[in-house]
Amino acid sequence: MEVKNLRELLEEYNIEIPMLQRDYAQGRKSQVKIANEFLDAIFNVLYSNENKTLHIDFIYGYEKNKKFLLIDGQQRITTLWLLHFYLYKKSDKLEEIKKWLKNFSYKTRKSSSNFCKNLLNNDFDINKKPSEAIIAMGGEFEKAENLQNDPTIKAMLNMLDLIFERTKEKDINNLISNLDKITFNIFNMGNFNLGEDLYIKMNARGKQLSSYENLKAFIEQNSEISQDRELLTSIDTDWSDYLFDPKNANKFDDRGHNFLHYSTIFFQIQSNSEYSKKLENYINNPNIAIDRFYEPLQNLYNIKLLDKTIQFFHLFKHPKIKDSSFFDETLTYQNICYFYSILFYVKENNEMEKINKDALNDYLRVCKHFIE
């Protein structure tokens, strides 16, 4: 197998993150521990005056239409690409490597692809925190709402901030001189008659931002929630595990959206808000604009309740809500009652490990009699 560094890889191939891949996740705030561990290993080499090297294992992909599509290694390669970009940008030498940095692109979303191109072509104040400097320039890098909501862009901005903190008052030219010491193996699946079917991951499927992703971004605008790394990790993993079904991957976003939408109605009823007096339109038309109606989703207690509810669905079999396909469509009044019986139960019994299964089954049976 070939051993290459990023420069050699991009000089030989046009690297593309294909539509079947997920968003860039290594830079997410919820993944900061993983990101810092990887950056620790990288900067241990970059800071060294000795002949240290770092090998980051295998990069998998296959050639198609004169492009090399990454199947595994996307996170590591994206972080290395951002690192090269930032160091050369800070040293005012970006033009030297722009020719091959352009050979890397994201196809998971149009907004992610545009952002990568604009990073190479547009200027920002390199002495400021990158996320703040880039967001302050708004539409020069991508539409303002995409800078705030596109998961890949958000993660890239956060990764650039982490790199920014590590390179303050450092000799950038010395760091650059060690970049080529970070290597990996290239495994071309096409050489072994292996195509994408072997590794397909149906997370972000080349769509524009879905309503579910926008609602998640809306949730994270609350500072208490955005700083709760354990909760954010659970949303990224446990929630996705519950909502995702490889046999019906196209239902993922609908399920997530409906779960959050009907939860919002529950919270509005619980708080006896102004919206609780006029819910019929919200019940029958879940696909509405994200406005003040969804403010309960920016309450840390409410999101923790939903997190416990997801745990409940992972742990206990419900006779009606058998899996997340329950949220595929607009909920009937009957199904809303089943869902709310669980939300209320979890609210009153939020310690999942202490739930008595016999008592739970009694509760579910009585609820069923009343609801039916």
Side-chain angles (χ1 to χ4, degrees):
M1 297 182 188
E2 298 178 276
V3 177
K4 294 185 180 296
N5 55 46
L6 187 72
R7 177 192 297 271
E8 292 168 337
L9 178 70
L10 294 179
E11 285 180 340
E12 182 172 350
Y13 296 106
N14 283 316
I15 301 297
E16 184 176 288
I17 310 300
M19 292 175 68
L20 59 88
Q21 278 286 20
R22 64 186 299 196
D23 288 293
Y24 175 55
Q26 195 170 75
R28 289 178 183 171
K29 292 182 178 179
S30 63
Q31 303 294 314
V32 67
K33 183 176 183 294
I34 294 173
N36 277 322
E37 287 174 353
F38 187 43
L39 290 176
D40 285 344
I42 289 173
F43 277 92
N44 185 42
V45 172
L46 299 189
Y47 291 154
S48 175
N49 291 322
E50 302 171 9
N51 195 29
K52 286 187 177 181
T53 61
L54 174 66
H55 190 74
I56 59 172
D57 299 322
F58 294 94
I59 304 298
Y60 292 85
Y62 62 97
E63 290 184 75
K64 185 177 182 179
N65 298 328
K66 298 182 179 180
K67 293 180 180 178
F68 191 84
L69 308 187
L70 277 187
I71 299 301
D72 189 67
Q74 164 200 353
Q75 306 295 326
R76 288 165 288 159
I77 292 299
T78 302
T79 296
L80 284 180
W81 186 85
L82 290 169
L83 177 66
H84 280 71
F85 158 75
Y86 186 78
L87 293 182
Y88 275 89
K89 178 82 172 176
K90 193 166 185 177
S91 67
D92 202 26
K93 296 179 180 178
L94 185 58
E95 290 298 324
E96 293 180 14
I97 66 167
K98 188 183 288 187
K99 182 178 180 180
W100 53 265
L101 281 185
K102 286 181 178 179
N103 291 336
F104 173 86
S105 64
Y106 260 81
K107 291 300 179 184
T108 53
R109 304 175 195 280
K110 185 177 180 181
S111 51
S112 305
S113 178
N114 288 341
F115 180 73
C116 290
K117 291 177 184 176
N118 290 331
L119 266 185
L120 297 180
N121 295 322
N122 296 341
D123 284 325
F124 62 90
D125 190 341
I126 199 68
N127 296 311
K128 291 184 178 179
K129 195 174 181 179
S131 63
E132 295 174 357
I134 289 171
I135 289 173
M137 298 182 69
E140 289 194 34
F141 288 86
E142 182 50 31
K143 293 178 182 177
E145 60 266 28
N146 289 336
L147 289 176
Q148 297 289 345
N149 294 344
D150 183 321
T152 289
I153 296 177
K154 288 170 62 179
M156 284 183 168
L157 289 173
N158 191 53
M159 179 57 73
L160 288 172
D161 287 348
L162 294 176
I163 295 170
F164 165 78
E165 293 297 334
R166 287 172 180 265
T167 56
K168 285 182 178 178
E169 300 177 6
K170 298 291 182 181
D171 183 347
I172 300 300
N173 290 323
N174 186 57
L175 300 182
I176 287 175
S177 67
N178 289 325
L179 280 172
D180 287 348
K181 296 177 182 177
I182 303 167
T183 60
F184 39 82
N185 285 93
I186 298 294
F187 185 89
N188 188 337
M189 293 154 53
N191 293 338
F192 298 88
N193 296 317
L194 301 173
E196 72 245 47
D197 289 346
L198 187 60
Y199 291 96
I200 281 180
K201 299 171 184 177
M202 296 295 292
N203 282 338
R205 295 159 299 284
K207 296 181 178 179
Q208 296 300 314
L209 287 172
S210 70
S211 56
Y212 175 50
E213 290 164 324
N214 277 312
L215 276 175
K216 287 201 298 180
F218 178 78
I219 289 169
E220 292 178 21
Q221 288 174 16
N222 175 282
S223 59
E224 282 188 301
I225 296 172
S226 66
Q227 293 170 14
D228 191 327
R229 304 200 186 285
E230 184 177 350
L231 179 59
L232 292 178
T233 299
S234 182
I235 292 173
D236 284 341
T237 55
D238 295 341
W239 292 32
S240 294
D241 288 344
Y242 174 68
L243 296 167
F244 184 73
D245 176 4
K247 295 180 180 178
N248 291 289
N250 62 325
K251 288 292 186 180
F252 176 81
D253 292 309
D254 289 339
R255 292 176 183 182
H257 171 85
N258 288 340
F259 173 73
L260 290 176
H261 178 78
Y262 288 103
S263 297
T264 302
I265 295 176
F266 175 84
F267 297 135
Q268 297 288 6
I269 294 171
Q270 289 281 292
S271 65
N272 196 29
S273 72
E274 60 181 288
Y275 293 101
S276 67
K277 310 297 189 298
K278 46 182 180 179
L279 288 175
E280 185 174 3
N281 183 56
Y282 294 103
I283 288 171
N284 295 321
N285 301 286
N287 295 311
I288 61 171
I290 298 175
D291 55 18
R292 285 186 57 243
F293 171 73
Y294 287 108
E295 283 183 353
L297 295 181
Q298 292 186 332
N299 180 295
L300 178 62
Y301 174 82
N302 290 344
I303 299 303
K304 285 190 172 182
L305 172 61
L306 296 186
D307 188 50
K308 288 287 198 316
T309 303
I310 293 291
Q311 291 182 38
F312 176 92
F313 287 137
H314 276 300
L315 292 172
F316 302 102
K317 291 185 177 180
H318 191 284
K320 185 72 174 179
I321 311 175
K322 298 183 184 301
D323 54 45
S324 60
S325 63
F326 179 84
F327 297 100
D328 279 358
E329 310 293 342
T330 301
L331 297 187
T332 64
Y333 280 83
Q334 184 186 51
N335 282 349
I336 289 171
C337 289
Y338 276 109
F339 180 36
Y340 289 1
S341 70
I342 295 304
L343 284 175
F344 187 80
Y345 184 85
V346 174
K347 182 180 179 183
E348 298 300 314
N349 302 271
N350 62 8
E351 295 186 57
M352 296 296 104
E353 65 277 5
K354 294 184 178 181
I355 289 178
N356 181 290
K357 289 186 178 180
D358 291 334
L360 171 61
N361 288 332
D362 287 343
Y363 173 79
L364 295 177
R365 185 170 59 255
V366 173
C367 286
K368 180 181 178 182
H369 290 319
F370 277 116
I371 292 170
E372 293 300 328

